Amino acid sequence: MNITGFTRNKLTLVILTSLAALSAAPMTQAGSAIDLGTVQSNGTGSGTTAAKQASAPYQAPTKASLKATEPQSQIDQHFIENNAAPTANYTDIVTIAPSVADVAPNGPGGMESQGLTMRGFQDGQFNVTFDDIPFSDSNDFTHHSTNYFMPQDTGKIIVDRGPGNASTIGDATFGGTIAVQSRQPEDVAALTPYASFGSHKSDLFGLRYDTGVLKNLGDTKAYINYKNSSTNGALTYAAQKRQNLVFKSETPIGDNTVLTLFGMYNKIHQNVLIGATKAQITQFGPNYGLNNDPTSQAYYGYNYDKITADLEYIDLKSLLGSWTIDNKLYTYAYHHAGFNGGDPNGETPNGTIYGANNVPGQRMSMNYRSFGDIFRVARNLGPGRFKAGVWLDRQKNTRTQYEIDDTLGGLINGTSLLAATDRNMNDSLITAQPYAEYDWKPTDRLTVTPGVKLAYFHRTINALVNQKTGNPLYYAQSWSKALPSISLHYKIENNWTAYAQWAKGFLAPNLNIFYTADPSLSQVSPEQTTNTQIGTVWQSHALTLSADLYHIDFNNKVESRKIGSNTIFYNAGGAVYKGAEAEATYYVGQGFSLYGNGSINSAKDKTTGQWLPNAPDRTYAAGLIFNQGSYYASLIAKHVGKRYGDLAGNGTPIEPLSPYTVANLNASYTFKGAAGPLHDAKLSFQVNDLFNKTSIFALAGYTGGANTPLYWTLPGRSYSLSLSIGL
């Protein structure tokens, strides 16, 4: 069965199921009698739609909460709905925030993130959570941005630029947290088909069904949302096909309990790109990716991924006497079958054991599932509020890679299966993080929150063929670290607050410390930061403003050296990150708002004093927004400053990368209250990379032959036209 046929059949099934449920479900505008903080408003407060529109907090692309205790940028559903490309990943959305940079080389959502950075910290050095659940690959804590949630199911994203308080959970609180929150079910039943069409033969078809409040099911409300997207990609022969299904329901149980069920299922087929050399960019253009030559290792038919992923949770939140109890049981999985030519950039000649002209390639797999539980309790105690909890998670990961002959349809390229095996590994990570903190209120305006979290993690590896060494390995090791924190929050006025924070962040050792003949010879402690931050937040009808200063002392940097035939990992040196950040939105009037943010950042090695790789020295954003009645339009540009792609062996920065600016234009019209088929319809038009920038913006890595640098380029201008209809 081909993927197109599968998609059409599944979409038809979802449409029929939704229409049947729509005809059977009673419609009501009544809401449930319980909140308990689980159902979060997507607006900015009470009042009419017009009153909300005519305010800076509603129009702000990013803003900090008046309750913030560390630097943060909140990106609300209003901005996401009107500015995110229909196929966007969360990485495309968060680039609007200060100190954050990333570009999708294949167009919005067209491939996984390439170079997401926050204050100079790279993917794997900060958390990403979904509805408070930390998720990542356990081997290095990186994230697969195309394989979980899409903008149609995203209610809010909070970019926390710091390790948080003791209650902030995750394996990589080192550099902060990108917290994605799902959309809420609506109170009123609705069926919403939607579609978009754009450049590079990109299209998306989707259908969302909201049940409304179901009185005969205990005031349950739920939605199901199915999306099917495809694109040829901004880069040559870089197609992607994706299906995504999300279900969420909320059921009040009595007056003091809410049960939430959630499920997300994703399937993707995408061609794999690893970047292009400068010679290839010069010869074929900045959009070079793969080719259509079956005799080449860069043939698109040899370079592709087939991936399925899922995430489910059950959350029970209850008020029992004076205690608030929240327990979330979850699981998520990632199943990846990957294929690639041996050296797609052409520096290694063809040839396998079956023929001198046969095309060599590789076949890999990575399959893992995590099971976990997040348990939290809180109650008022004395002059404040006591909070405690524990996060438990176990992930089991299986990884293989084999040398194959692509000309012969993937036949093993070796005298035996073992001879053709690059790696065959089973590993696991068990994480436990109990915490306790207390919001002490010595006055009505001041809150002091001390806390401590104990981070415990236990790694195991059972490898028939270990990565790097090629030998068997059976090994396990545990680490633990107490992480104290304290924050101060002061309410200067009802709309003006200030905060200060001191906290320890940490990063669990990656699995690569086991990629050696004898890991017991390595003595490695978790990498750790000491964060000191101060900031202030102002919000009024006409202005949102936040600003902060930060200083991050990074210690226990993990390095390695060769002693005889052994690679030894150890802690040495570190880095200092420091800077200033600000963001503001000013509502001018008559529907117009001005937006801007900026950061000045420094990230330097303590020993050499040299700049760290992929750490921009500054970021700026500026834009004009118009939103009045049914009309919305925005023109927003993001500038990323100079940076370096890598370090030489002596620690000197190499591969300098020029600053770049990308501008996006968005416009939409909503047919509010219209009669007939256009009832609550919305028509949107987008132009990404308005000024058609296609320069090099990132180092992608190096070739497998001569270690020639590979690069990513900006994707250039693209268009999309979208329509949704509320039925």
Side-chain angles (χ1 to χ4, degrees):
M1 180 183 294
N2 63 47
I3 194 167
T4 303
F6 168 82
T7 299
R8 289 174 179 167
N9 293 338
K10 192 165 185 178
L11 181 58
T12 302
L13 177 61
V14 172
I15 292 173
L16 293 175
T17 303
S18 298
L19 289 174
L22 178 64
S23 63
M27 298 186 188
T28 176
Q29 296 189 26
S32 63
I34 187 168
D35 186 335
L36 289 180
T38 62
V39 182
Q40 301 183 13
S41 170
N42 293 321
T44 58
S46 60
T48 65
T49 300
K52 290 179 182 179
Q53 284 185 346
S55 71
Y58 186 76
Q59 299 298 345
T62 65
K63 62 179 181 289
S65 168
L66 287 167
K67 297 180 180 180
T69 58
E70 69 177 3
Q72 66 168 218
S73 294
Q74 178 176 302
I75 305 170
D76 286 334
Q77 186 173 317
H78 177 66
F79 176 82
I80 296 171
E81 287 179 339
N82 288 289
N83 293 270
T87 55
N89 299 323
Y90 70 89
T91 50
D92 301 312
I93 298 170
V94 300
T95 55
I96 185 64
S99 293
V100 178
D102 190 40
V103 172
N106 203 34
M111 63 186 295
E112 290 191 356
S113 169
Q114 303 295 326
L116 180 64
T117 178
M118 180 163 60
R119 288 181 170 177
F121 293 111
Q122 313 303 306
D123 188 24
Q125 293 183 307
F126 49 78
N127 288 325
V128 179
T129 64
F130 183 75
D131 284 355
D132 200 34
I133 299 169
F135 76 98
S136 65
D137 292 356
S138 61
N139 58 319
D140 61 2
F141 310 116
T142 55
H143 306 88
H144 300 284
S145 55
T146 59
N147 287 282
Y148 288 93
F149 27 84
M150 297 184 72
Q152 294 81 9
D153 303 303
T154 302
K156 181 186 297 184
I157 302 178
I158 300 174
V159 181
D160 270 323
R161 297 183 295 275
N165 292 325
S167 56
T168 303
I169 58 174
D171 286 309
T173 62
F174 191 73
T177 298
I178 296 175
V180 184
Q181 298 179 11
S182 61
R183 288 185 61 166
Q184 299 302 129
E186 301 292 341
D187 289 341
V188 179
L191 184 68
T192 308
Y194 51 92
S196 71
F197 307 89
S199 303
H200 318 302
K201 294 185 178 179
S202 301
D203 59 54
L204 180 144
F205 299 94
L207 182 67
R208 172 173 167 136
Y209 172 61
D210 277 274
T211 66
V213 178
L214 302 173
K215 288 294 187 181
N216 57 344
L217 291 177
D219 286 346
T220 294
K221 54 183 179 179
Y223 69 80
I224 186 169
N225 197 1
Y226 176 77
K227 290 83 65 183
N228 172 53
S229 67
S230 66
T231 179
N232 283 353
L235 299 170
T236 56
Y237 298 98
Q240 181 198 82
K241 295 181 183 293
R242 181 179 184 183
Q243 299 95 50
N244 184 275
L245 178 69
V246 167
F247 168 82
K248 185 175 183 179
S249 71
E250 292 181 337
T251 303
I253 302 173
D255 293 330
N256 297 311
T257 301
V258 170
L259 174 67
T260 302
L261 304 178
F262 180 89
M264 186 287 309
Y265 309 92
N266 193 85
K267 180 178 181 179
I268 197 165
H269 184 288
Q270 60 190 6
N271 290 108
V272 180
L273 308 168
I274 61 172
T277 66
K278 283 187 178 179
Q280 290 170 326
I281 293 171
T282 300
Q283 181 179 359
F284 302 113
N287 69 328
Y288 177 75
L290 299 170
N291 65 38
N292 64 343
D293 178 6
T295 67
S296 167
Q297 295 172 50
Y299 176 52
Y300 73 91
Y302 303 147
N303 295 270
Y304 63 94
D305 288 330
K306 296 190 294 184
I307 305 171
T308 60
D310 64 82
L311 186 152
E312 300 85 12
Y313 70 78
I314 301 173
D315 186 27
L316 190 66
K317 189 168 186 176
S318 185
L319 181 63
L320 297 178
S322 57
W323 288 92
T324 298
I325 299 176
D326 186 1
N327 193 79
K328 184 173 293 181
L329 182 67
Y330 68 86
T331 182
Y332 66 88
Y334 176 82
H335 301 282
H336 179 185
F339 303 82
N340 61 271
D343 183 3
N345 297 96
E347 291 184 347
T348 303
N350 284 349
T352 72
I353 64 171
Y354 304 106
N357 295 319
N358 287 25
V359 178
Q362 295 172 329
R363 183 183 80 225
M364 61 80 66
S365 69
M366 180 166 71
N367 302 304
Y368 62 74
R369 179 168 291 280
S370 269
F371 291 95
D373 188 81
I374 303 169
F375 178 73
R376 300 182 186 273
V377 297
R379 63 163 295 171
N380 293 331
L381 184 65
R385 188 166 181 81
F386 171 76
K387 293 178 286 186
V390 62
W391 171 49
L392 302 172
D393 184 273
R394 184 188 185 191
Q395 183 177 124
K396 298 184 69 174
N397 194 338
T398 300
R399 301 168 65 219
T400 65
Q401 182 170 294
Y402 303 98
E403 298 295 320
I404 61 173
D405 186 312
D406 282 326
T407 302
L408 298 177
L411 192 65
I412 289 296
N413 183 22
T415 55
S416 66
L417 179 62
L418 185 61
T421 302
D422 297 324
R423 61 174 177 257
N424 188 338
M425 308 160 61
N426 293 281
D427 63 87
S428 68
L429 177 67
I430 297 174
T431 301
Q433 292 183 14
Y435 72 87
E437 64 184 32
Y438 183 66
D439 294 334
W440 175 45
K441 289 182 166 294
T443 72
D444 290 340
R445 294 181 178 271
L446 177 64
T447 303
V448 182
T449 305
V452 64
K453 170 174 57 189
L454 177 64
Y456 169 85
F457 36 100
H458 176 76
R459 283 198 181 279
T460 69
I461 186 169
N462 183 343
L464 177 64
V465 178
N466 194 16
Q467 193 162 329
K468 299 292 186 182
T469 69
N471 298 319
L473 178 67
Y474 308 92
Y475 189 73
Q477 191 171 351
S478 300
W479 299 264
S480 62
K481 188 71 178 180
L483 300 167
S485 64
I486 187 169
S487 64
L488 288 80
H489 181 274
Y490 187 73
K491 184 167 71 174
I492 303 170
E493 300 289 347
N494 287 337
N495 66 331
W496 184 17
T497 61
Y499 60 83
Q501 181 196 51
W502 177 93
K504 293 285 189 180
F506 80 105
L507 182 65
N510 287 352
L511 184 65
N512 63 5
I513 68 169
F514 288 174
Y515 300 164
T516 179
D518 188 357
S520 67
L521 298 177
S522 300
Q523 298 296 323
V524 174
S525 298
E527 294 181 329
Q528 186 169 302
T529 63
T530 302
N531 294 52
T532 306
Q533 309 186 101
I534 59 172
T536 187
V537 182
W538 168 284
Q539 284 190 15
S540 67
H541 178 82
L543 177 67
T544 67
L545 174 65
S546 62
D548 67 85
L549 300 172
Y550 69 91
H551 183 279
I552 305 171
D553 186 7
F554 161 30
N555 293 299
N556 293 345
K557 183 179 180 182
V558 176
E559 297 184 349
S560 65
R561 63 175 177 263
K562 270 272 196 170
I563 299 179
S565 60
N566 279 314
T567 299
I568 308 298
F569 290 87
Y570 62 99
N571 295 113
V576 172
Y577 299 75
K578 58 185 177 181
E581 301 159 325
E583 57 192 354
T585 300
Y586 177 63
Y587 182 75
V588 179
Q590 302 301 311
F592 288 96
S593 300
L594 296 174
Y595 171 71
N597 75 46
S599 67
I600 299 174
N601 311 94
S602 173
K604 295 183 179 180
D605 186 275
K606 284 184 179 180
T607 303
T608 65
Q610 300 286 357
W611 209 269
L612 298 179
N614 301 311
D617 67 340
R618 64 197 63 209
T619 68
Y620 301 133
L624 175 66
I625 300 167
F626 176 77
N627 186 201
Q628 191 168 51
S630 296
Y631 295 92
Y632 182 95
S634 69
L635 176 61
I636 300 176
K638 178 67 180 276
H639 174 83
V640 177
K642 66 179 183 181
R643 59 229 175 274
Y644 296 91
D646 202 358
L647 296 176
N650 62 359
T652 302
I654 56 175
E655 296 295 336
L657 299 166
S658 300
Y660 66 89
T661 303
V662 174
N664 296 328
L665 174 68
N666 299 275
S668 63
Y669 180 80
T670 303
F671 298 83
K672 295 182 178 179
L678 292 181
H679 170 64
D680 286 339
K682 183 176 181 178
L683 183 66
S684 304
F685 178 68
Q686 290 186 321
V687 184
N688 287 292
D689 197 354
L690 179 64
F691 300 108
N692 198 31
K693 300 294 184 69
T694 58
S695 59
I696 290 171
F697 78 90
L699 179 71
Y702 299 91
T703 62
N707 283 330
T708 303
L710 299 169
Y711 301 96
W712 295 118
T713 57
L714 297 170
R717 186 186 300 120
S718 63
Y719 307 88
S720 68
L721 181 67
S722 305
L723 175 66
S724 66
I725 302 174
L727 301 177

